[in-house]
Amino acid sequence: MNPSAQIVLLCSDATRAAAWRTQIDAQQRHQVAAVGQSAPEAMALVSQIDPDAVVCELKLHDGRAIDLVRALRRGSRNAGTMILVIAPSADHPELLECLRHGADSYFVDNGPGPTLDGRIFEMLQGEAKMSPEIARKVLDHFRREGPAAHGGRRSMEEMLNPLLMSALERVILMRLSQGQSVPEIAGAERLSMHQIAKCIRGLYRKMAW
């Protein structure tokens, strides 16, 4: 099988980057087209290669991944490039910020579940990830921003506001916060995996407004 998806990998440590590159290339599902250490390198590589995905650590050689995510999502030039962020833990504060501002998925280094290559594959197939820890933070955000936080009921205008959480999104978030998996939620709510993934990404984006 010939590698198809082109990956730009951003990592502050050369040894760790080499190990991840070897793991990704070995599966022959994706190809690491280039490796960099800084945000300027990443922007130049993305412009040259037009990769399917950028995979980057939360902390780069010259700064934070959130700044790179914002730069990549500014305008429509890199709209087709997906972004996966590598975090040391699911409750790292900067991880949610990256997801809010345009990252498509994340990978917890040394955590349970798929390998980095597996997580990239899932992301490129349209799947989205939200851990119970992140789901609880997202719930807290919308509780603070919603009308209930101010002691009032939702008006018709508020119910139609696309930036507020819908009833279905609330149900999915509650289930995710309780530790239910996406397949479990899909079965319980009679939804497709794609519908739930779209809902998760939509919630991340709504938080940016």
Side-chain angles (χ1 to χ4, degrees), residues 160-179:
L160 295 175
N161 187 338
L163 297 182
L164 292 180
M165 184 166 54
S166 70
L168 177 59
E169 288 170 336
R170 186 180 299 277
V171 169
I172 290 173
L173 262 183
M174 289 295 295
R175 289 184 177 277
L176 286 167
S177 71
Q178 294 163 2

Side-chain angles (χ1 to χ4, degrees), residues 18-150:
W20 281 334
R21 181 173 197 165
T22 298
Q23 179 203 113
I24 293 168
D25 288 344
Q27 298 303 313
Q28 298 186 340
R29 292 188 290 198
H30 318 116
Q31 183 178 42
V32 177
V35 177
Q37 292 186 317
S38 68
E41 273 186 283
M43 296 303 293
L45 290 169
V46 168
S47 179
Q48 294 166 13
I49 299 169
D50 189 22
D52 297 281
V54 171
V55 177
C56 62
E57 289 186 301
L58 278 180
K59 185 172 177 58
L60 299 175
H61 187 69
D62 62 340
R64 304 178 304 156
I66 180 62
D67 299 320
L68 173 61
V69 171
R70 287 192 180 113
L72 287 170
R73 288 295 179 246
R74 194 173 295 128
S76 59
R77 182 176 181 182
N78 304 306
T81 298
M82 304 193 82
I83 304 171
L84 183 143
V85 178
I86 302 172
S89 66
D91 59 357
H92 194 289
E94 290 188 21
L95 174 56
L96 186 55
E97 286 300 299
C98 287
L99 293 165
R100 284 180 60 184
H101 290 281
D104 297 283
S105 190
Y106 64 94
F107 172 74
V108 176
D109 192 21
N110 296 319
T115 62
L116 176 57
D117 175 78
R119 186 63 69 203
I120 296 169
F121 180 76
E122 290 175 351
M123 177 184 72
L124 293 174
Q125 293 297 306
E127 295 184 32
K129 180 175 172 58
M130 184 182 286
S131 69
E133 297 94 332
I134 290 180
R136 288 191 283 271
K137 289 181 180 180
V138 175
L139 271 172
D140 288 342
H141 169 85
F142 283 104
R143 283 170 178 158
R144 290 194 303 270
E145 298 297 322
H150 308 289

